[in-house]
Amino acid sequence: MRIGIGYDIHQLKEGRPLMLGGVHIPHTHGLDGHSDADALTHAVCDALLGAMGEGDLGRYYPSSDPQFANMKSLDMLKGIHVKLAERGFRLVNLDTVVVAQAPRLGSYLAEMSKQLARVLRVEPSLVNVKVKSHDHLGTLGRQEGIAAQAVCLIACTSSDEKAI
């Protein structure tokens, strides 16, 4: 068994679509970044990569590479999931938190969980997504950005422990 943790934060920018966990959230501002800037999915990718000892998302999808411009973060997660399986691991569970003052995200959490679980090929009950506000404190509380954290547990799928 291995544990991984991931974190991401993106600035909010007017006129960009807001994507979180692969779900489009209607809002006047979206997250700014090279890809679709889905901070939740990026945190999940980093957690999985960390658990495997494979660095971070920038190693595989660098923001300096034009081929990844506007890439869907769920597609990045698909690639990370392939690497997970190739390394002989399976996801045991995933717990995440999105920190956002606005918009209100409660009604989208189940769909975010469902989308992440679909890509990771697990039951949605193994993918928990929750949200916290920043109580108007700091950058996140002033609605300048949105952050996300993820922690995962992965396990070796075979008895020969080739993943270790």
Side-chain angles (χ1 to χ4, degrees):
M1 298 264 210
R2 292 182 173 195
I3 297 170
I5 187 168
Y7 175 82
D8 197 33
I9 186 170
H10 285 273
Q11 183 177 8
L12 282 162
K13 182 178 179 183
E14 191 171 2
R16 290 254 319 170
L18 178 56
M19 297 297 294
L20 289 168
V23 177
H24 179 260
I25 312 293
H27 192 52
T28 59
H29 291 68
L31 296 174
D32 194 22
H34 186 66
S35 65
D36 66 5
D38 182 338
L40 175 57
T41 303
H42 292 180
V44 170
C45 289
D46 273 347
L48 292 167
L49 287 167
M52 289 186 286
E54 291 287 336
D56 65 14
L57 195 58
R59 179 186 291 180
Y60 299 95
Y61 301 99
S63 59
S64 59
D65 191 331
Q67 79 177 7
F68 303 123
N70 300 312
M71 185 175 189
K72 292 181 182 177
S73 296
L74 285 183
D75 290 339
M76 294 177 192
L77 183 58
K78 285 178 190 174
I80 302 304
H81 182 261
V82 167
K83 180 172 283 307
L84 186 79
E86 288 173 350
R87 288 281 315 273
F89 288 110
R90 68 175 173 80
L91 178 66
V92 175
N93 77 306
L94 174 67
D95 189 28
T96 69
V97 61
V98 177
V99 183
Q101 192 66 45
R104 304 295 286 180
L105 298 172
S107 62
Y108 299 98
L109 299 180
E111 184 61 23
M112 290 180 207
S113 176
K114 182 179 173 183
Q115 290 302 316
L116 293 168
R118 178 183 58 79
V119 172
L120 294 168
R121 299 178 182 250
V122 297
E123 292 297 319
S125 64
L126 299 178
V127 177
N128 188 52
V129 180
K130 53 194 174 286
V131 66
K132 299 290 181 190
S133 77
H134 231 240
D135 290 329
H136 303 283
L137 296 171
T139 299
L140 299 177
R142 289 189 301 270
Q143 300 179 39
E144 295 173 13
I146 293 177
Q149 294 180 350
V151 63
C152 69
L153 180 64
I154 62 173
C156 189
T157 59
S158 65
S159 62
D160 66 3
E161 298 185 25
K162 67 179 176 181
I164 308 298

